């Protein structure tokens, strides 16, 4: 036992039945000391743990109830300061420029708390005490405004509670409790007024308990070790390995840290990973729990203008429970639900969610009934599950939007936003552990604390930042040490548990003893001036924090018993630079070794090798550590270690083998060779309809074709927010097609040809109607983006009509949007067909083609033209190449298809021209006409289908179509992929005969 525990034990022994009130720095510390006494064999009764604050509260709690006053919470305190800043500070004043900033509010709050704690009234802030008159005046106004805000909201803070209690005990009124013996540890750093309060409250019943002298800590501990590690994580690993190697039970150990922000999350994660049960003296941040992460994700979603990616992360992280919205018993699967959000193409914006989800549900329904467009269809095998997930997501989003308040003009009242967040936690946050349950309750309590605040509206991002800050600083499950658990604590609160093994982490010079950053509002020299006039109370001097931290660590060491290990991180892994031990460690070294001349070199040479990710002793926390150590020892190239690892982990072995094969000159199954396809992928053999889009994709890059059309892999459809764009390229093209078709169907039904002067008004009206419909379906991000694209659409319509007027002088527009072989596609064109067309390739070979032809015109009695509308740039089509190795083959295939479709209707007809029409802003009415070359078409198709027959799917040998490829992350990028396949095509050592059809295709020049 340490001295304090011994003193308490002695007192309890001699005053066994008397009521004893142990006044501790905190209740948690008091309980730890009292428990240590019991564990040491000194049972006690009638011992109560109190702090100065809880005693003060007891003295006046009846008064608070009578006056209807409530205790101010931390979140409310910050909100009151924020409101005081808005009301009291002018934009042109001393603090004017920063008056809206959350960081400023936090600093002002700390300053005001210091002032109130030291009983510095606003009136005592005389201008001559501060460097600037204006600053003094504004600080006074702020402190006054805060006082008033407390009174108006019927709140009392800690300083007010203590002021009232002190006044009451000074007035010698009867205060409760007067009975009992008050035990005050000698180390307790009380202010003069706190000491006076206790003396007046306890009178002659106050007993001071001696504590260990901080300057005399050395004899108390049996062993002191200094260790180091490569990074903070390895400091913790070092501790865990030590427990394992020395067989130390976890409940004999206390781990102390110097900086919670770094060490607490690391200890939490590693202890969870290695299943080490822990108690945390400061509790754990609420953001470690699912409700904490959920509410942060929710706030991220709001501040990012309802960005669908934030919502996907929220759902994908499984921190919200969709069942709470849908009432379903079975979860629909977080990943499936996240995919629904992606497929809906929401992008961002509150108003886009429901309309886009409805459109997706319609699409799923149509597909279930065999209808719908030929667009990507994820999850082919589970359409029903997809529909269930879509409905669940819609219900969830609808409820979520209902509880989420909207800002007006970018402003919102904090209490409205907090209430929305509290309802979100209650309704949707997933609770799957005890910590989650506690966190959910704590968060709801925290957020509802804002409900008493006024209606002052603040900037939306600022309100989000305030709530995020409040959530982030909330801790739950603060506990005293428990059997079977490691105890984790800050060193200022640590060392009271009486455990035998203590580890103190974070003693590098950048972290300890810390820097004495001054309060930027009330500087230390100004605080000194104030302290001189308000004696005996005093404002704390923040520049003295390093000295106070040193004092605290020495006091901590003094109360420790048993073995102490002090460690520091000697390397900053993020910045890859060296870190040095804190000077205090050298002081410790000199003291324990009685070697006052020792320097840092001596210290380092006496400290064992730094702990790293690879253990240097045979103590492994998990398999990874074991294998890392083996590999390091044997060397990466050593056959023994590598063979062993690859034998035990066959998937790792296969990965290594695949890498070697790809890097070789051989064409292998790892380069896109499906050796056992048995020809079943060849449309000439399987007779499954194929589209020209697929054939062109195969010609551009067989490997990408394999991924997309054979393996069915879809790239994630991320709708990156672009405030300048309303419709993406695909949607823009669809809308234009819709407008053109509507006009052409109308006028040709009246046997008219396009005429600008006659049809422009009608075309505009059709365009506006379509735009209106699309605007409802895809809400634009802002009016500017909408106006820009609307202008582009109208410009494209103008180009279209003007060009068509000239074009149609020699032809008669006949059929529009003609689907064939597309199930469920509606069309008014008589030549449209549910059946695909059979394309003859000669020599008894052929395949089934499906597609959708934009436009068929008639020239003369039996001559036809086929056109494809393109809303993009003409640069996408190389004019001088007929087929471009099959990469531009649609015009030739559709020409064949039209002749077959006409023949089905007993119509004679030959396609003499086919090509592409570019009416969009980048095309300006350009037309590209392609030659018809039946021989070239058959040669290219045969070569392409030969690849399918043989299962050959190599990377593209050039990067012509790699720029916008979705599969770059799979093929490792065009540079590597193009170079690899060129090398394999040219390899003389390996003949790679399987690549012959591909060599033939690459050799085509038409
Ligand atoms: S980046 Fe190029 S080589 Fe790689 S998959 Fe895409 S198209 Fe093929």
């Amino acid at each position: 036992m340490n001295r304090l525990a011994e003193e308490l034990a002695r007192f309890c022994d001699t005053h066994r039945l008397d009521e004893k009130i142990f006044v501790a720095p905190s209740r948690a510390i008091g309980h730890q000391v009292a428990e240590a006494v019991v564990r040491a064999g000194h049972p006690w009764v009638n011992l109560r743990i109190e702090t100065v604050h809880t005693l003060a509260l007891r003295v006046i709690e009846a008064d608070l109830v009578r006056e209807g006053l409530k205790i101010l919470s931390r979140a409310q305190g910050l909100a009151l300061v924020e409101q005081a800043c808005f009301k009291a500070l002018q934009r042109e004043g001393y603090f004017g420029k920063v008056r809206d900033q959350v960081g400023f509010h936090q600093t002002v709050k700390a300053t005001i708390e210091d002032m109130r704690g030291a009983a510095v009234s606003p009136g005592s802030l005389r201008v001559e005490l501060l460097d600037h008159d204006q600053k003094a005046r504004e600080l006074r106004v702020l402190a006054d405004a805060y006082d008033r805000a407390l009174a108006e909201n019927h709140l009392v803070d800690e300083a007010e509670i203590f002021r009232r209690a002190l006044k009451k005990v000074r007035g010698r009124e009867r205060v409760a409790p007067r009975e009992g013996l008050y035990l005050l540890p000698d180390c307790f750093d009380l202010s003069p007024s706190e000491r006076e309060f206790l003396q007046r409250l306890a009178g002659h019943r106050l007993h001071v308990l001696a504590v260990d002298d901080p300057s005399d800590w050395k004899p108390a501990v049996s062993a002191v070790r200094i260790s180091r590690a490569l990074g903070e994580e390895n400091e913790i690993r070092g501790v865990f390995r030590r427990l394992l190697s020395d067989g130390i039970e976890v409940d004999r150990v206390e781990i102390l840290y110097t900086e919670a922000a770094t060490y607490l999350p690391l200890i939490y994660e590693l202890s969870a990973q290695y299943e080490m049960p822990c108690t945390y003296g400061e509790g754990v941040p609420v953001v470690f729990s699912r409700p904490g992460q959920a509410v942060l994700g929710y706030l991220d979603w709001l501040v990012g203008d309802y960005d669908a990616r934030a919502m996907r992360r929220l759902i994908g992280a499984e921190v919200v429970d969709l069942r709470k919205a849908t009432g379903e018993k079975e979860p629909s699967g977080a990943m499936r639900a996240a995919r629904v959000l992606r497929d809906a193409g929401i992008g961002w914006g509150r108003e886009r969610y429901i309309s886009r989800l409805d459109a997706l549900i319609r699409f799923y329904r149509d597909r279930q009934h065999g209808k719908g467009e030929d667009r990507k269809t994820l999850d082919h095998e589970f359409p029903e599950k997809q529909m269930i997930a879509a409905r669940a997501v819609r219900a969830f989003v609808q409820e979520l939007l209902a509880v989420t308040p909207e800002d007006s003009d970018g402003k919102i009242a904090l209490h409205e936003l907090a209430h929305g967040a509290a309802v979100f936690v209650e309704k949707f946050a997933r609770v799957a552990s005890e910590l989650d349950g506690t966190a959910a309750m704590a968060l709801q309590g925290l957020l509802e604390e804002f409900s008493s605040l006024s209606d002052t509206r603040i900037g939306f991002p600022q309100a989000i930042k305030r709530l995020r800050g409040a959530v982030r600083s909330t801790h739950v499950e603060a506990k005293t040490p428990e059997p079977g658990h490691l105890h984790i604590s800050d060193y200022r609160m640590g060392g009271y548990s009486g455990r035998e093994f203590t580890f103190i982490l974070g003693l590098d010079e950048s972290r300890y003893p810390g820097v004495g950053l001054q309060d930027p509002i009330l500087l230390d020299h100004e605080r000194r001036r104030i302290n001189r006039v308000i004696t005996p109370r005093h404002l704390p001097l923040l520049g003295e924090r390093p000295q106070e931290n040193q004092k605290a660590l020495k006091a901590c060491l003094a109360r420790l018993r048993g073995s102490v290990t002090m460690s520091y991180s000697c390397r900053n892994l993020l910045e890859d630079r060296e870190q040095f031990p804190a000077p205090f460690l050298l002081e410790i070294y000199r003291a324990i070794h009685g070697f006052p001349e020792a320097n840092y070199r001596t210290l380092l040479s006496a400290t064992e090798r730094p702990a790293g990710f690879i253990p240097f002793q045979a103590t492994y926390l998990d398999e990874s550590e074991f294998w890392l150590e083996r590999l390091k020892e044997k060397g990466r190239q050593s056959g023994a270690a590598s063979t062993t690892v690859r034998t035990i982990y066959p998937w790792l072995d296969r990965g290594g083998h695949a890498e070697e094969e790809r890097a070789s000159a051989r064409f292998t199954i790892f380069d896109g060779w499906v050796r056992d396809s048995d020809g079943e992928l060849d449309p000439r053999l399987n007779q499954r309809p194929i589209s020209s889009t697929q054939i062109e994709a195969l010609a551009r890059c067989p490997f990408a074709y394999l991924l997309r059309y054979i393996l069915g892999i879809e790239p994630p459809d991320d709708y990156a927010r672009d405030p300048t764009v309303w419709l993406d390229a695909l949607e823009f093209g669809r809308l234009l097609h819709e407008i053109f078709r509507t006009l052409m169907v109308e006028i040709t039904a009246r046997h008219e040809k396009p005429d600008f002067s006659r049809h422009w008004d009608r075309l505009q009206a059709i365009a506006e109607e379509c735009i209106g419909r699309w605007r409802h379906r895809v809400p634009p991000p802002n009016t500017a983006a909408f106006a820009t694209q609307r202008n582009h659409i109208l410009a494209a319509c103008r180009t279209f009509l003007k060009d068509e007027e000239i074009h149609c002088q020699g032809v008669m527009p006949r059929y529009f949007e003609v689907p064939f072989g597309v199930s469920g596609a509606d069309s008014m064109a008589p030549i449209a067909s549910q059946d695909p067309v059979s394309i003859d390739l000669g020599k008894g070979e052929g395949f089934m083609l499906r597609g959708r032809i934009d436009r068929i015109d008639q020239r003369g009695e039996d001559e036809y033209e086929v056109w494809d509308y393109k809303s993009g740039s003409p640069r996408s089509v190389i004019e001088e190449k007929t087929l471009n190795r099959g990469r531009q083959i649609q015009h030739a295939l559709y020409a064949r298809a039209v002749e077959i479709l006409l023949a089905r209707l007993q119509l004679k007809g030959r396609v003499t021209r086919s090509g592409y029409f570019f009416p969009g802003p980048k095309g300006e009415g350009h037309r590209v006409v392609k030659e018809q070359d039946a021989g070239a078409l058959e040669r290219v198709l045969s070569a392409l289908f030969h690849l399918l027959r043989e299962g050959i799917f190599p990377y593209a040998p050039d990067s012509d179509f790699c720029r916008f490829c979705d599969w770059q992350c799979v093929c490792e990028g065009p540079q590597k992929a193009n170079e690899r396949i060129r090398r394999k095509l040219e390899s003389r050592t390996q003949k790679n005969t399987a690549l012959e059809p591909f060599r033939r295709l690459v050799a085509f020049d038409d």
Side-chain angles (χ1 to χ4, degrees), residues 701 703-704 955-956 962 965 967-968 971 977-978:
C701 177
F703 184 73
Y955 310 121
C962 292
C965 175
W967 311 111
Q968 294 197 11
C971 75
N978 302 158

Side-chain angles (χ1 to χ4, degrees), residues 230-231 233-234 237 241 573 610-615 622 624-626 628-629:
L230 299 169
E233 183 178 334
N234 287 320
R237 285 179 187 278
R241 285 180 198 136
L573 296 180
F613 291 101
I614 305 175
D622 56 18
S624 306
E625 290 197 352
F626 171 81
L628 282 171
E629 198 266 342

Side-chain angles (χ1 to χ4, degrees), residues 902-931:
L902 287 169
R904 280 186 188 164
L905 295 181
Q906 315 298 328
L907 293 172
K908 255 176 58 185
R910 200 164 53 85
V911 175
T912 52
R913 281 205 328 162
S914 92
Y916 305 90
F917 175 33
F918 296 84
K922 290 181 185 158
E924 296 177 340
H926 187 67
R927 280 182 193 263
V928 175
V929 181
K930 292 279 191 175
E931 279 177 37

Side-chain angles (χ1 to χ4, degrees), residues 654 657-658 661-662 664 666-676 703 706 951 953 955 984:
R654 294 211 64 189
H657 177 58
E661 291 287 82
R662 278 190 209 109
S664 75
R666 288 187 301 280
F667 181 67
T668 70
I669 58 168
F670 302 100
D671 300 291
W673 187 0
V674 185
R675 297 187 76 147
D676 53 358
F703 184 73
L706 170 71
F953 299 96
Y955 310 121
K984 291 178 193 235

Side-chain angles (χ1 to χ4, degrees), residues 527-545:
R527 287 174 176 243
R528 277 194 198 93
R529 275 186 221 137
I530 296 168
N531 285 343
R532 277 199 287 276
V533 297
I534 61 162
T535 310
R537 293 172 190 158
H538 66 273
L539 286 164
L541 302 176
L542 305 195
E544 291 179 359
R545 277 212 184 126

